[in-house]
Amino acid sequence: MRITGFRTLHTVQEWGRPVGDANGVFADGRVPVPIVLVDTDEGITGVGLGPHLDAGAIFAAIDGEDPRAVTALYDRMLRHTFKAGHAGAVFGTIGAFDTALWDIKAQAAGEPLWRLLGGRDRRVPAYASGLDIGLTDAELVTVYQDYAEHGLRAAKLKGGLDVDRDRHRLTLVREVLAGAARGPRPVLMLDANESWSRKQAVRHVCELERTLDLTWVEEPVRRWDAEGLAAVGRGIRASVASGENLSGLEQFRPLLAAGAIDIVQTSAVWGITHFLRVATLAHAHDLPVSPVGNTPVGLVHAATAAPNHLAAELQDLRPPLGVLLDTHVEDGHFVLGDSPGIGVRVDEDLLRVRHPHTPSGDGPAVRPESAGRRLLTVPDGMPAPHHRPGVVRPLPLRQADRT
């Protein structure tokens, strides 16, 4: 079997409501989803959800190769980008190709990827994550009621701009999840998306922990700040989670060496080989691993074979437009199907006739100018959903917090 070519497509995730975090919001709720398709001379096509940046140059590393040599081809792609640097969207392109190759390998074997990788249980624990900072109270309750109806009893909320508002919203979601069924109390997490300084993070979380039990706080400070993440971890009861924006084991190593994080995360678009290697590294430090991102189906397959997997992020309950998944959510778990490969099929005809969605120049992917040094309120230029009543009142910044 040989790789003969690749194609790229674009689709969108249509949330039907504003989605975002402390850095910004997509007010129209439409988030672009790029797709990479890899073809072979035996008619098997692999699907990878992820960026296309420099796809032609990266594809040169695998063109004509046997796709079943996927881990060797992953390293070959890294070597082809070492001068420019395999980070950011380029790393995402490598991850998309890598996922497509694993899809081909499992299809060729006639097995679902979870079985090929040595998984025993097709059910993978999930937690709800609604990218919900732009929602009103009524909208928030409605969204998490839907998650609760699918058996979710753990939820991660976006926050970090207003401690009183965060407490109120976390309490609302706790009540929704607790009221859905009897059993263990709901699990709550908060994601600040790197919006705090070290002191702000400790003060904000400690204030919440007076009345709430948080399982983890995600990305309280910058992703690379090993000393800062460790300082936050020492100052709060909750675990510290991070890693979704780290690309390469070399970026995880200093954080783990410093004891900076308690929950090791990887992005869904970084690829399956990356996840497996990060999971092994975390396992060597007796730490759990957790995939993050929308449509994480490739990593959910891989999670079945990771002994230290904790839970995978479940964002939208619907797949992107034109994408069909042999996966469903039941009793708080992703349930993987028996389709060979990763169980993703793309309606290419539908996507070719649609114009690609171009997002505005702001949103959660753009870091606000005043992130990490806010004094009183939401920064200028925050999208309209954040100006709904009751959304602003962050903790005041003391002089000591500026260091």
Side-chain angles (χ1 to χ4, degrees):
M1 181 185 296
R2 298 293 169 185
I3 297 168
T4 57
F6 78 96
R7 292 162 287 140
T8 62
L9 292 170
H10 291 84
T11 186
V12 293
Q13 188 79 35
E14 296 184 332
W15 291 75
R17 57 178 175 81
V19 291
D21 56 39
N23 299 299
V25 170
F26 290 125
D28 64 1
R30 302 183 78 232
V31 180
V33 179
I35 301 171
V36 172
L37 305 174
V38 177
D39 297 319
T40 68
D41 61 358
E42 294 190 12
I44 299 177
T45 296
V47 180
L49 303 179
H52 309 156
L53 185 65
D54 290 339
I58 294 170
F59 179 74
I62 63 174
D63 190 12
E65 296 286 334
D66 187 328
R68 293 168 293 186
V70 56
T71 52
L73 293 180
Y74 178 80
D75 289 318
R76 186 175 171 85
M77 288 188 284
L78 294 181
R79 292 198 304 273
H80 271 235
T81 59
F82 105 99
K83 279 290 186 182
H86 50 264
V90 170
F91 195 68
T93 303
I94 293 172
F97 277 120
D98 176 73
T99 300
L101 297 184
W102 277 108
D103 189 21
I104 293 169
K105 184 179 178 75
Q107 288 185 62
E111 292 188 328
L113 182 61
W114 65 269
R115 181 72 76 190
L116 183 72
L117 290 174
R120 178 174 175 269
D121 189 351
R122 71 179 71 226
R123 295 166 54 85
V124 177
Y127 68 86
S129 177
L131 282 68
D132 44 50
I133 201 167
L135 302 183
T136 64
D137 288 356
E139 291 168 336
L140 184 74
V141 167
T142 298
V143 165
Y144 281 92
Q145 283 175 338
D146 196 10
Y147 288 126
E149 289 172 3
H150 287 80
L152 277 298
R153 297 295 176 264
K156 182 177 74 181
L157 274 67
K158 298 292 186 179
L161 297 177
D162 175 353
V163 69
D164 293 326
R165 182 65 178 161
D166 286 349
R167 180 190 295 108
H168 175 66
R169 297 172 77 250
L170 286 161
T171 301
L172 284 177
V173 170
R174 181 181 63 185
E175 292 173 353
V176 168
L177 299 184
R182 295 178 180 177
R185 63 181 177 182
V187 173
L188 298 176
M189 295 87 83
L190 183 69
D191 189 354
N193 291 103
E194 305 183 53
S195 64
W196 292 323
S197 69
R198 302 176 188 181
K199 288 288 188 176
Q200 282 177 317
V202 172
R203 295 177 63 227
H204 196 115
V205 177
C206 284
E207 178 67 20
L208 292 175
E209 288 183 327
R210 294 182 183 182
T211 55
L212 292 167
D213 180 23
L214 294 178
T215 297
W216 81 58
V217 175
E218 190 167 317
E219 291 190 324
V221 296
R222 298 313 301 271
R223 67 195 72 165
W224 51 75
D225 186 3
E227 182 181 338
L229 288 165
V232 173
R234 290 191 295 269
I236 65 176
R237 296 199 310 268
S239 295
V240 172
S242 190
E244 67 175 284
N245 291 307
L246 301 180
S247 51
L249 294 182
E250 71 281 357
Q251 295 187 8
F252 284 86
R253 192 166 57 233
L255 271 64
L256 298 184
I261 52 179
D262 307 295
I263 312 293
V264 181
Q265 298 174 312
T266 73
S267 171
V269 301
W270 290 164
I272 292 165
T273 301
H274 173 70
F275 170 80
L276 292 171
R277 291 180 177 181
V278 171
T280 300
L281 179 64
H283 192 43
H285 287 78
D286 292 320
L287 295 175
V289 67
S290 176
V292 173
N294 192 38
T295 321
V297 62
L299 301 197
V300 173
H301 278 267
T304 66
N308 55 330
H309 176 259
L310 181 62
E313 183 175 39
L314 170 64
Q315 294 185 359
D316 203 342
L317 287 160
R318 301 162 298 177
L321 180 69
V323 176
L324 306 175
L325 304 178
D326 187 15
T327 305
H328 67 279
V329 179
E330 177 185 287
D331 193 26
H333 290 71
F334 289 97
V335 183
L336 298 165
D338 286 317
S339 296
I342 62 174
V344 176
R345 296 294 175 263
V346 177
D347 188 338
E348 297 184 53
D349 293 335
L350 173 66
L351 299 187
R352 285 196 186 98
V353 300
R354 293 182 62 90
H355 295 290
H357 173 63
T358 302
S360 61
D362 55 11
V366 179
R367 182 171 171 82
E369 182 180 353
S370 57
R373 53 182 177 83
R374 297 184 181 100
L375 181 61
L376 291 175
T377 189
V378 172
D380 293 338
M382 206 63 176
H386 281 276
H387 296 296
R388 298 180 184 190
V391 172
V392 295
R393 282 187 311 278
L395 283 171
L397 189 68
R398 303 176 303 176
Q399 182 64 34
D401 295 342
R402 302 176 187 227
T403 60

